[in-house]
Every structure is written in C-alpha cells, then in structure tokens.
Amino acid sequence: MMPPAPPAAENPASDVVPDEGAAPAFSPLYQQIKTLILQRLEAGDWKPGEAIPSETDLALRFRVSQGTVRKAIDELAGENLLIRRQGKGTFVATHSERHVQYRFLKLRNDSGEYEHSERRVLECRRSRAPAEVARALQLRSGEAVMQVRRVLLFSGIPRVLEDIWLPGQTFKGLSTAQMQAYKGPTYAMFELDFGVRMVRADEKLRAVAASADQAHLLDLAEGSPLLSVERLSYTYNDAPMELRRGFYRTDSHHYHNQLN
Amino acid sequence: MMPPAPPAAENPASDVVPDEGAAPAFSPLYQQIKTLILQRLEAGDWKPGEAIPSETDLALRFRVSQGTVRKAIDELAGENLLIRRQGKGTFVATHSERHVQYRFLKLRNDSGEYEHSERRVLECRRSRAPAEVARALQLRSGEAVMQVRRVLLFSGIPRVLEDIWLPGQTFKGLSTAQMQAYKGPTYAMFELDFGVRMVRADEKLRAVAASADQAHLLDLAEGSPLLSVERLSYTYNDAPMELRRGFYRTDSHHYHNQLN
DNA sequence: CAGTGGTCTAGACCACCAA
DNA sequence: TGGTGGTCTAGACCACTGC
C-alpha cells in the first residue's frame, strides 16, 4: 500500500503522509494527498486568491513524487477549488475572478450574452429561521438567521427578486450597506468579509405564478409566470451555508444550462 | 515538438502520429491522440457499447507511451464519450446504460428522486422546417424534418409535453411505432436505429403560461405556469441534430441542476 | 492465470512568466 | 535567468475481471 517512505516529513508533526495511525481505510496515495490539501483549504491556511506551495515543494513535504501531487491538484482544479496558472503557480480559487463571474447566475439575455446587473437591497435583517429554512441550513428551528431581500436590475429593468437566508452565527453583522455597496459578486464579499467560500450549489427550478407582492416588485401583472430558482449553496465539507429563493422574469431572458 | 519516433506505425498508411504533413499547428501529443481517437468514433469504426483497443495496444499503434494514450482517454472519458471499466477495458459510451439514464432529463419529484416515465406519442410526421427550426438545425428553411409530439406521464399523470424536430435526411423513416415501442431512452434508440449519438446539449429555460392547447394536453387550466425547456442537442463535431421544446408541469416535480 | 485499467515513480525536457 | 506548471517517457506494481 505504501512506498518505502523514510521516517517523517514536513513541519510540526501534523501532516505526515500516507500512514496508518488513526487513519480510516485504504485509498490511493493521490487521494490522501488531496484530502491533506483540502484540510489546509478548509482550515484557511491558504486563503482565496493566494498561491499554494509549488508541486515540487508539496511533493517533498508529503514525500511522494511530483506526479502524485499533480494528480491530486488536477482533481481539485477540476472541482474549481484551485486554479493553475502556467509559469506562475497554483492558486486558491475565488469568486472575484472575471471568468467565473457567472458560474452561479445562469441568466442570459435572449442573444445569449450575460448582462451586468445592478443590485437594490430592500431588506437585510436578523430574524429566526422558519422550519423549512432551518432544515435546509441544518440549524435548529427558530435559530438566528440573516435574511436579505433584494432585486436585480438588468438595463434598469427589475428582473430578479431574491430572498436569501444565511446562518446568523457566521454572518453576524451583515448589513444592507455591505450587501449594497460591494462591487462584484456577493459570494466574493462573503469570502472577504466572512471567510466563507461557496464551493457548489444545488438548484431546483419551477414555473410559478407571481403573487401580488412579487408582481409589484418586478413590475408585472399578478399571476404572470415566473421562474422560481431555489438554491442551496455549500462550503467545504458539504456544509450548507446559504438558502436562496429567486424569482426570475423570463420574458426577454432565460436560464441557460449546458448538458454534457 | 516530437520524440525520436521511428518511421511509420499502425495500419494502411492513414493515421501516422504526431507528425507534420498537412497538419494544422502545434498541440500536445495527447491532444493529437485524442483527435485521432475522436475521428475513429465519428467515423463509426468503434460503435456505441463496443470496447476500443487497450491502452497498450493504442500506445503501440500510435507510437507513444501508454501514459500519453491514457491522458487522451482520460479527457474523452471526462466528456462522456468513453467509459473506463477496470479490468475489462474502455468502451464507447452509449445512452443505453443505467447510470446515465437521466443525464438529459433533469426532472425529479419533490422527494428528489427520478421517476420512470411512460410515453404517449401523439404525432410523428414528415414536414418542412420552419425558419426558426431550420436555423437551429443548420438546414435550409423549408427542408424536410421529422416532427414528433409526445406526452410523458409520471405515475400516470401527464407532466411533460414535448415537440421534437429532427433532420429529415438522417431520420428518414422514423415512425410513431418506433418512438412509442422502444424501451429505454429515446437517444439510445437513435443510436441503434439511426447511428446518431447525442454528445451534449444546450438548454434554455423559461416560465410561460400554458396555451389552451398545452393546457388541454397536460390536464391543466389555461394560463397555468409551465416550465419551458428548449433543448438543442449535438452529435460529434458540434453538429446540431435535434431541437426539442418541452413544457413541464412543475407542481409536484422540479428541474434539478447542480452547480460546480 | 493473462489481460485490462489504475497508481506511482524518477527523470527529462518544454512553455510560460517575472525579475 | 530561475521557478512554475505542462508534457512525455519507461518501467514497476496493484486491483479487478473473466476464462
């Protein structure tokens, strides 16, 4: 199961290599390396946007070959947790980058282009989690949550109404000003101000009829069809960190999805 | 750019290796191998479900190392064109497999499970392509197309109404009986009966109000919200081969999407 | 048992980037 | 120029499948 591997490696004891100890079971070496790197990311040892050590460096630390480290990093890059830049290094992924701007917002106009949107925060307050929200975020019912309601405008026209729920513990102090003022993706702000990085999300889409309330905010007739997008976002370790309900006007825009 | 590579390789002249000749430009060896394999797939030399030659075999033919072939195959497997099975070989992917049954139909019930659906073909006829359809399928306007209309039922309840357009040339002879009778995915039938393999697709989602016609067929009130799913499917070489417009009832089901 | 994919190594060289 | 990721090789051994 293991190479002849000499005594120890790396710094303050902590991460030795493919090794028994209290370890769970068997898995390929590169998977174990991947897990070790993941732990560093979760722990925040390497922060979004920063470079991680070079492949050769990591190979030395972990006492494996460069190719093994490479395979671990390949998978992490494939999961959008790391970004490789030839000649420069490997970096911790962030939502601040241009080319992932629209990884989560899949609304395009009917020419197929993404459009910049303007935010209007209607509400941002601390409240208690409804049962449904608590379940999704794995909180106790009634526990504190931050609740945000906002409208996104494309070319000045309100097209998206969103309700966002966040664990109150982690997002303590989130304010309207903060939600409103930050330029760039909201998830980038979450990284900078709260140290929370969204890693993946599940979305459930439905067609619904606009309520009076929704119709008013989106400048529509009541009962007009709206695309309902319920998103549950996760950080590392599959921990749910955000529940978001969006209502999209799709009269001149659409939700684009690529099937592979 | 190249290893010391001896004279020729492989069978009847055709595919020599990383080589100048009339080749376009420079690319990594494994990319060139990938292209060669792709050409075989497109040509139908290796058919859906069949095994392709082993890695070592291909390495010998192409006169590269096994690792290089491996990397080429890795990418093709990542694109769902090939499937690796340890101990058995590498196979051309097909829509007949259990675990990709729901790669394209992303409708789940509200418990999050996929449900088996029953088909009811309402219409299957030869006609002329409307301008819009012709554009999508890259045909001339008015050119022959096969047109299918069907309803999908989940637990006996009609939930999806679909209109499908296919190039008349390629799908000549497609019949109602054929659409209706085949057990398993429609795309698997396309592979078996017409030699067409769908490789990827783009979908545009919108919320719309049900027309009288749609409402009738889906057992709904006119004006009820429906999820409109417009799908353009592609074969090899990014050639569009099917346009499909689906209307989904989402009162007890939803379209599920995973964002990575 | 032989054959196939899966892992791992060690070392060479290339392509890209920044100082 | 030196450092980083990217490609390629050759060979060893492991894990799984089926005869």
Side-chain angles (χ1 to χ4, degrees):
Chain A
M1 153 194 176
M2 278 187 36
E10 171 99 293
N11 48 11
S14 64
D15 59 7
V16 195
V17 213
D19 192 63
E20 28 60 49
F26 167 81
S27 73
L29 243 190
Y30 76 87
Q31 282 289 358
Q32 302 178 39
I33 303 299
K34 186 181 166 186
T35 300
L36 291 176
I37 296 176
L38 252 173
Q39 286 170 358
R40 296 299 191 92
L41 290 173
E42 290 165 27
D45 293 345
W46 302 321
K47 300 215 156 45
E50 290 181 5
I52 70 172
S54 74
E55 294 180 355
T56 49
D57 187 343
L58 289 173
L60 286 175
R61 295 198 201 192
F62 295 141
R63 295 190 162 281
V64 298
S65 79
Q66 196 243 18
T68 300
V69 170
R70 187 169 182 76
K71 181 147 188 183
I73 291 180
D74 274 345
E75 292 207 352
L76 291 167
E79 296 167 21
N80 296 305
L81 297 179
L82 295 177
I83 299 187
R84 328 190 69 137
R85 285 196 241 276
Q86 177 163 170
K88 301 217 274 187
T90 300
F91 300 78
V92 181
T94 168
H95 286 281
S96 301
E97 290 153 56
R98 275 272 174 271
H99 83 283
V100 273
Q101 218 70 328
Y102 300 99
R103 187 148 70 97
F104 286 77
L105 181 57
K106 299 177 76 77
L107 197 65
R108 301 186 181 185
N109 67 27
D110 284 349
S111 306
E113 303 147 346
Y114 289 111
E115 264 179 45
H116 177 71
S117 66
E118 180 190 341
R119 280 193 280 273
R120 191 165 298 165
V121 178
L122 306 179
E123 194 182 337
C124 176
R125 61 189 182 84
R126 197 171 178 79
S127 70
R128 311 214 152 270
E132 210 182 346
V133 174
R135 197 178 327 112
L137 295 179
Q138 294 177 10
L139 302 173
R140 283 180 300 280
S141 189
E143 211 170 338
V145 289
M146 295 304 304
Q147 180 179 346
V148 181
R149 165 166 278 203
R150 66 179 189 180
V151 170
L152 303 185
L153 301 92
F154 294 77
S155 313
I157 301 173
R159 299 228 172 258
V160 175
L161 169 62
E162 278 184 329
D163 284 305
I164 303 175
W165 287 272
L166 301 159
Q169 197 86 352
T170 311
F171 288 87
K172 194 173 298 189
L174 179 68
S175 69
T176 302
Q178 211 169 356
M179 286 293 297
Q180 183 70 63
Y182 187 80
K183 308 298 180 198
T186 300
Y187 287 168
M189 186 267 280
F190 288 173
E191 289 173 358
L192 291 170
D193 294 356
F194 299 94
V196 173
R197 171 164 169 76
M198 303 300 181
V199 155
R200 66 178 187 86
D202 282 317
E203 289 192 334
K204 297 180 181 179
L205 281 72
R206 288 183 174 80
V208 301
S211 69
D213 206 28
Q214 294 165 346
H216 174 66
L217 291 169
L218 290 173
D219 196 15
L220 278 173
E222 182 172 348
S224 301
L226 284 178
L227 181 61
S228 156
V229 180
E230 181 179 317
R231 179 196 299 170
L232 188 56
S233 299
Y234 299 83
T235 344
Y236 295 114
N237 262 41
D238 291 321
M241 274 306 259
E242 183 204 56
L243 177 63
R244 189 185 284 216
R245 285 223 176 86
F247 296 93
Y248 299 8
R249 278 184 59 170
T250 54
D251 36 354
S252 69
H253 288 63
H254 61 265
Y255 180 106
H256 179 265
N257 196 21
Q258 162 111 226
L259 309 178
N260 291 310
Chain B
M1 156 192 176
M2 278 187 36
E10 173 96 291
N11 49 9
S14 65
D15 60 4
V16 197
V17 215
D19 193 63
E20 30 59 47
F26 165 81
S27 72
L29 245 189
Y30 76 88
Q31 283 288 358
Q32 301 178 41
I33 303 300
K34 186 181 165 185
T35 301
L36 291 176
I37 296 176
L38 250 174
Q39 286 169 0
R40 297 296 191 91
L41 290 173
E42 290 164 28
D45 292 346
W46 301 322
K47 301 215 156 44
E50 290 180 7
I52 69 171
S54 74
E55 295 180 355
T56 49
D57 187 342
L58 289 172
L60 285 175
R61 295 198 200 192
F62 295 143
R63 296 189 162 281
V64 297
S65 78
Q66 195 242 20
T68 300
V69 170
R70 187 167 183 75
K71 180 147 189 180
I73 292 179
D74 273 344
E75 292 208 352
L76 291 167
E79 295 166 22
N80 296 305
L81 298 179
L82 295 177
I83 298 186
R84 326 190 70 137
R85 286 197 240 274
Q86 177 164 167
K88 303 218 273 190
T90 300
F91 300 77
V92 182
T94 170
H95 286 281
S96 300
E97 291 154 56
R98 275 270 174 270
H99 83 283
V100 273
Q101 218 71 327
Y102 299 99
R103 187 148 71 96
F104 286 78
L105 181 57
K106 298 177 77 76
L107 198 64
R108 300 186 181 185
N109 67 26
D110 285 349
S111 307
E113 302 148 345
Y114 289 111
E115 264 178 48
H116 177 70
S117 67
E118 181 190 341
R119 282 192 280 273
R120 190 165 299 165
V121 179
L122 307 179
E123 194 182 337
C124 176
R125 61 190 185 82
R126 197 170 178 80
S127 71
R128 311 214 152 270
E132 207 180 348
V133 173
R135 197 178 327 115
L137 295 179
Q138 294 178 12
L139 302 173
R140 284 180 300 281
S141 190
E143 210 170 338
V145 289
M146 295 305 301
Q147 181 179 345
V148 181
R149 165 166 279 204
R150 66 179 187 180
V151 170
L152 303 185
L153 302 92
F154 294 78
S155 311
I157 300 174
R159 301 228 170 255
V160 176
L161 169 63
E162 277 184 330
D163 284 306
I164 303 174
W165 287 272
L166 300 159
Q169 198 84 353
T170 311
F171 288 88
K172 194 173 297 189
L174 178 69
S175 69
T176 300
Q178 211 169 356
M179 286 294 297
Q180 183 70 63
Y182 186 80
K183 308 298 180 200
T186 300
Y187 287 168
M189 186 265 279
F190 288 174
E191 289 173 359
L192 290 170
D193 293 356
F194 299 94
V196 174
R197 172 163 168 76
M198 303 299 182
V199 156
R200 64 176 187 88
D202 281 315
E203 289 192 333
K204 297 179 183 179
L205 283 72
R206 288 183 176 80
V208 301
S211 69
D213 206 29
Q214 294 164 346
H216 175 66
L217 291 168
L218 289 174
D219 196 15
L220 276 174
E222 181 172 350
S224 301
L226 284 178
L227 180 62
S228 157
V229 180
E230 181 180 315
R231 179 196 298 170
L232 188 56
S233 298
Y234 298 84
T235 346
Y236 294 113
N237 263 39
D238 292 320
M241 276 307 258
E242 183 203 58
L243 177 64
R244 189 184 283 217
R245 286 222 176 87
F247 296 93
Y248 299 7
R249 277 184 61 169
T250 53
D251 37 353
S252 69
H253 288 64
H254 62 265
Y255 180 105
H256 179 264
N257 196 22
Q258 163 111 226
L259 309 179
N260 291 311

